[in-house]
Amino acid sequence: MYNFIDLFCGAGGFAYGFEATGKFKCIGAIDNKKAAIETHKLNFKDSYSLCEDIRKVPPELFEENLQGQKVDVIIGGPPCPTFSTIGHAKINSIRNPKGKSVNDDPRNDLFLDFLNYVDYFQPKIFVMENVPQFLTKYKGGTFKRVQELMNQSFPDYEIHHDVKVLNSVNYGVPQNRRRMIMVAYKKGYKYKYPEISHWFEGSRFNIDPNENHNNGKTLKPHVTVESAITDLPRITDNWRVSECEYSTSANLDEYQKLMRKRTSDTVQNNICRMSNDRAKKVFSHMKQGDIYMDLPKEVRQILPFREDIFKDRLKRLVLNKPSWTILAHIGMDGYMYIHPTQLRTLSVREAARIQSFPDHFIFVGNQMETYMQVGNAVPPIMAQRIAESVVKSLDARK
């Protein structure tokens, strides 16, 4: 069993995927969102889960609560840095004497604190996820600076020579979600990105990191929104009972069985936000796949938005396709995630299913907080595939 810590852990989608391999144990996690840490504590009972700003918790202090356990792997998703110059050998020297980053952007501090934990714990491997733009921001300048920093400050580590963007849809998640996955390892270790297992036929969103897809002919078809949500309890937007019975337990498909593997007859967090009558009237005119600007002008006037910047302010999901990316903005409103067949937006549990959280994973907090936890997460199924590749790297050196 390998131990890992999760920085900027959120609810724990990344960590759940690692633990789902049966080869990893989460021994520590940190995030500054109280509800997210309460969710993490509930679902990772053996982890030291701390609610605090990582900038206030030096790794020496964090280590005191790990009960002497060795850290083999560090995972996390620090905000994308924006530093314009890196020319020093040590992490602390990138900050000025007052502890500020070179260009005073707080995201730099958070990214550097992630690396500070790496510097202190010296894990065999660390895995960092971020937005795809991490690789292209400032014409690739941000990533180039990261490489320079790694070469200068971490001579014992190698970044995988070809950092990849992965799409969760190609690993059996019913969602197009592209994320940059950077893997770095102590010299002597190797890493290969996980082979994909699913293909979204006719889509431009497929990503095969090892380019072995043969146009998807040997892969499983994508998992659909229909598979993700249609066995869940039937609700209305005024439904306020968190735990209720499934709508069906007959003829479940592979994905539904996986999501329900450790549950019985009921599921929690299946509550959605209220939609006003005007919104519902507009929803009734939308076909699956429609966006706001597909509607006739007279319908748009029922619920008017600035049409020059809110062209897809409303979007209705399609049953036989994967969802588009579930964003944290779902915590503010769900208009970009309208149920395919009902006059309401997605429930927290439906969004969690689309993210591939199993039904026994319970979210803590108010409605906005639980939605945001789902939207901010790494899809657990994709995380598990990444973790399985990390296991191969670690086992190869035993």
Side-chain angles (χ1 to χ4, degrees):
M1 187 72 72
Y2 297 106
N3 295 332
F4 71 93
I5 59 175
D6 188 1
L7 311 180
F8 311 93
C9 64
F14 213 176
Y16 185 88
F18 268 70
E19 286 206 345
T21 65
K23 299 289 188 177
F24 288 100
K25 178 184 177 184
C26 183
I27 61 171
I30 184 169
D31 198 282
N32 66 349
K33 300 290 192 298
K34 183 176 184 297
I37 286 296
E38 291 304 313
T39 294
H40 199 278
K41 288 179 178 178
L42 179 64
N43 292 281
F44 301 91
K45 299 188 186 302
D46 294 329
S47 169
Y48 166 62
S49 304
L50 176 65
C51 181
E52 187 54 271
D53 185 333
I54 195 171
R55 291 170 291 187
K56 299 178 180 178
V57 186
E60 299 89 339
L61 180 60
F62 190 84
E63 184 185 35
E64 291 178 4
N65 295 278
L66 300 183
Q67 300 176 340
Q69 299 176 93
K70 180 177 175 57
V71 175
D72 299 299
V73 175
I74 293 178
I75 65 173
C80 183
T82 61
F83 32 64
S84 56
T85 59
I86 294 177
H88 305 285
K90 289 297 180 181
I91 293 172
N92 286 338
S93 68
I94 299 172
R95 297 185 173 97
N96 68 31
K98 294 182 180 179
K100 298 286 185 69
S101 293
V102 289
N103 68 346
D104 294 331
D105 191 306
R107 288 172 291 182
N108 291 351
D109 275 343
L110 295 170
F111 179 81
L112 296 172
D113 278 308
F114 180 94
L115 292 182
N116 196 32
Y117 271 63
V118 170
D119 191 40
Y120 181 81
F121 285 106
Q122 292 290 302
K124 300 178 179 74
I125 294 178
F126 70 86
V127 185
M128 191 187 79
E129 65 89 24
N130 217 298
V131 295
Q133 292 77 11
F134 185 96
L135 298 177
T136 58
K137 194 169 186 178
Y138 303 129
K139 297 181 180 181
T142 293
F143 181 61
K144 182 179 178 181
R145 297 295 191 269
V146 170
Q147 290 178 307
E148 292 173 358
L149 173 60
M150 290 295 299
N151 291 335
Q152 293 168 7
S153 300
F154 297 87
D156 294 333
Y157 284 90
E158 297 179 26
I159 298 179
H160 189 279
H161 64 89
D162 189 13
V163 174
K164 297 292 188 179
V165 173
L166 306 182
N167 190 345
S168 63
V169 76
N170 294 122
Y171 295 95
V173 178
Q175 176 189 189
N176 279 301
R177 189 183 192 92
R178 299 169 64 249
R179 301 298 288 180
M180 185 279 299
I181 304 296
M182 187 177 82
V183 182
Y185 36 81
K186 285 284 187 74
K187 290 184 177 178
Y189 288 90
K190 299 295 180 184
Y191 181 80
K192 182 181 179 182
Y193 283 93
E195 300 287 348
I196 64 174
S197 55
H198 292 69
W199 194 256
F200 186 8
E201 187 65 35
S203 171
R204 61 184 176 86
F205 295 110
N206 294 298
I207 297 174
D208 183 352
N210 305 307
E211 299 181 356
N212 299 324
H213 53 73
N214 193 24
N215 292 322
K217 292 178 181 177
T218 61
L219 301 175
K220 296 179 181 179
H222 65 270
V223 180
T224 65
V225 169
E226 181 176 19
S227 180
I229 69 174
T230 53
D231 66 307
L232 288 170
R234 295 186 181 93
I235 62 170
T236 56
D237 65 355
N238 62 354
W239 189 275
R240 287 298 172 263
V241 180
S242 176
E243 183 170 1
C244 42
E245 294 183 358
Y246 290 100
S247 63
T248 181
S249 294
N251 302 316
L252 301 179
D253 65 25
E254 181 181 357
Y255 187 78
Q256 291 164 348
K257 289 176 182 177
L258 178 63
M259 294 295 99
R260 294 167 64 162
K261 193 171 183 179
R262 288 168 54 183
T263 59
S264 53
D265 299 324
T266 61
V267 61
Q268 296 185 46
N269 296 125
N270 199 42
I271 295 175
C272 71
R273 61 169 46 83
M274 291 280 291
S275 298
N276 62 45
D277 290 341
R278 289 189 304 154
K280 290 178 185 177
K281 189 171 182 178
V282 174
F283 295 170
S284 71
H285 289 272
M286 299 182 73
K287 302 185 300 295
Q288 293 180 33
D290 275 356
I291 65 173
Y292 183 67
M293 290 304 293
D294 291 329
L295 295 167
K297 186 172 183 179
E298 62 270 20
V299 175
R300 299 200 301 271
Q301 292 308 304
I302 298 171
L303 193 66
F305 297 103
R306 277 192 58 182
E307 297 183 357
D308 56 335
I309 58 175
F310 291 125
K311 296 180 185 299
D312 61 350
R313 184 68 174 78
L314 276 66
K315 296 177 73 172
R316 187 158 212 165
L317 293 160
V318 182
L319 279 174
N320 66 359
K321 293 183 179 180
S323 171
W324 37 87
T325 305
I326 301 289
L327 301 172
H329 184 77
I330 195 174
M332 307 305 294
D333 71 63
Y335 286 162
M336 290 186 68
Y337 310 96
I338 300 168
H339 194 283
T341 61
Q342 300 176 27
L343 300 183
R344 61 176 181 84
T345 58
L346 291 180
S347 72
V348 174
R349 180 53 59 188
E350 288 165 339
R353 275 283 193 96
I354 288 171
Q355 275 277 56
S356 77
F357 278 97
D359 291 352
H360 68 264
F361 194 103
I362 308 303
F363 296 89
V364 178
N366 62 38
Q367 191 173 72
M368 183 177 74
E369 290 169 334
T370 53
Y371 273 121
M372 292 184 70
Q373 288 171 47
V374 173
N376 277 325
V378 178
I381 285 180
M382 185 171 79
Q384 183 176 348
R385 299 288 91 83
I386 294 166
E388 288 166 352
S389 290
V390 172
V391 167
K392 292 177 182 177
S393 300
L394 295 172
D395 285 352
R397 284 291 305 274
K398 276 187 173 181

